[in-house]
Amino acid sequence: MTTEFSLSLQVKTQYNAALAANEQFSAAQAQLAVANQQLDMTVAKVNAGAANIADSLNSVVQVGNAQLAILTAQQSLRTANAALTRLAGTTYMITANAADTVDHSMAPIDSAMVMGLALDGPAIRQNQAQIVSANASVRSAKTAYLPIVSLSAGLSGGGPSALYGFNNNPYPYSRNANFNLSYPIFNRYQRENQIQNAQISLTNAEASLKDNKLAAQQTIVTQLGLLHTAEEQVRVQQNSVRASEEVLRVNQQRYTLGAGTFLDVLTSQSSLVAARQGLIQARLNYRNARAQIEAVIGRDLQ
């Protein structure tokens, strides 16, 4: 059972990586579109004598950086797709659904309910089954102290009679019945060793159960914290992206009118790229935190 949810976690993690790569590719395309627009604007200003050649060269660099960002995102997507395909075991390449990158409402999570589910998750149930098995082993080992009782009966003889001596047949027949009771007083401590080994296994199983409960509690507390932090980061980064887009638009207009510098435009572009990357990372953190919680509780969060 734990193997199933461990594999599910790996699949979800790789799926999330593919989603993030898709988002990075879209962000890089938007970055390239802005860089090309800025390059056209700069070239026009240079031709009009309103800007120097350094501005156009910097614009070319921005276009190159955007193209590199696209190549990097494509490589990340290929890597994530290959890992996802390997986990799925398909003969054809699979990828994440690009529609899943769209922002969805983040439903609130009942922390108390999630903690309760975690304390009865797959790893906990597996440990509980191991304790039941270890208890049975202890009881089985203790049966070596019980005496061994055996009972047997037999009838033997020969002759033509089908009644086997229950009539007046002269041939001899013999009957016997045996009842044996034995109790080994000393067997080189084999019984004691078996009981001790069984009790050690039981103690280890109980310790594993306690540790896994604490581990589940730690994981849930940690991942819930990361989940709530990522939720807030997504909201902040969304506002940051919108603000950076507006700042870039204003600085481009100021530069076009000669009221601003090209450095302001470059700074705005860098801020927008950073804001988009921050949003992508925040979404990835949110998805991975959910996947970690789902692996511990053994079910998908609604």
Side-chain angles (χ1 to χ4, degrees):
M1 183 178 294
T2 54
T3 302
E4 175 186 350
F5 289 103
S6 176
L7 180 59
S8 176
L9 174 60
Q10 294 180 53
V11 172
K12 289 178 180 178
T13 301
Q14 288 301 328
Y15 187 87
N16 294 340
L19 285 179
N22 272 322
E23 291 180 313
Q24 288 173 347
F25 180 70
S26 297
Q29 286 181 316
Q31 178 183 349
L32 180 60
V34 171
N36 281 326
Q37 179 186 8
Q38 185 60 44
L39 177 60
D40 293 339
M41 183 190 306
T42 305
V43 170
K45 291 196 66 170
V46 170
N47 291 335
N52 57 51
I53 193 65
D55 291 352
S56 62
L57 291 176
N58 283 325
S59 295
V60 171
V61 171
Q62 292 299 311
V63 171
N65 288 337
Q67 291 172 338
L68 287 176
I70 289 178
L71 293 176
T72 301
Q74 289 174 332
Q75 178 59 30
S76 297
L77 182 59
R78 283 192 291 266
T79 301
N81 289 344
L84 188 59
T85 301
R86 178 185 177 187
L87 289 172
T90 60
T91 56
Y92 51 89
M93 190 69 69
I94 60 176
T95 186
N97 185 1
D100 289 340
T101 60
V102 178
D103 284 327
H104 299 285
S105 60
M106 300 178 184
I109 296 176
D110 187 341
S111 301
M113 180 197 69
V114 170
M115 184 63 74
L117 292 173
L119 295 179
D120 189 38
I124 304 302
R125 291 197 296 272
Q126 179 176 330
N127 283 133
Q128 290 170 339
Q130 290 172 345
I131 289 177
V132 172
S133 175
N135 272 315
S137 296
V138 171
R139 291 194 298 270
S140 176
K142 288 182 178 179
T143 59
Y145 282 105
L146 299 176
I148 300 174
V149 179
S150 62
L151 178 65
S152 63
L155 173 66
S156 62
S161 175
L163 297 178
Y164 291 99
F166 286 100
N167 55 4
N168 295 324
N169 193 298
Y171 290 99
Y173 287 86
S174 64
R175 305 169 185 81
N176 61 77
N178 298 310
F179 177 81
N180 297 317
L181 177 66
S182 64
Y183 183 81
I185 299 176
F186 179 72
N187 65 347
R188 298 182 180 181
Y189 298 107
Q190 293 180 5
R191 292 172 300 188
E192 289 76 10
N193 287 337
Q194 290 176 350
I195 293 174
Q196 191 65 30
N197 289 335
Q199 289 177 334
I200 290 173
S201 297
L202 175 59
T203 301
N204 289 339
E206 291 173 341
S208 294
L209 175 61
K210 180 179 180 181
D211 181 66
N212 280 335
K213 282 186 175 181
L214 293 174
Q217 177 178 301
Q218 177 187 359
T219 300
I220 293 300
V221 170
T222 302
Q223 296 304 323
L224 280 176
L226 292 175
L227 187 72
H228 296 322
T229 300
E231 284 179 333
E232 189 60 31
Q233 285 177 336
V234 168
R235 284 189 283 268
V236 170
Q237 290 301 132
Q238 286 173 335
N239 292 331
S240 180
V241 168
R242 286 192 289 267
S244 297
E245 288 174 341
E246 181 62 20
V247 170
L248 176 59
R249 185 187 66 81
V250 171
N251 283 334
Q252 283 179 330
Q253 288 183 349
R254 287 171 55 85
Y255 177 71
T256 302
L257 298 173
T261 65
F262 190 68
L263 179 59
D264 294 334
V265 175
L266 292 179
T267 302
S268 301
Q269 287 178 332
S270 298
S271 298
L272 179 57
V273 170
R276 284 172 175 163
Q277 291 300 320
L279 178 58
I280 293 170
Q281 186 61 50
R283 287 172 175 160
L284 179 61
N285 293 341
Y286 177 81
R287 297 181 187 121
N288 285 342
R290 283 181 66 96
Q292 290 283 351
I293 293 173
E294 290 168 349
V296 174
I297 66 176
R299 66 181 67 181
D300 290 339
L301 292 170
Q302 300 300 324

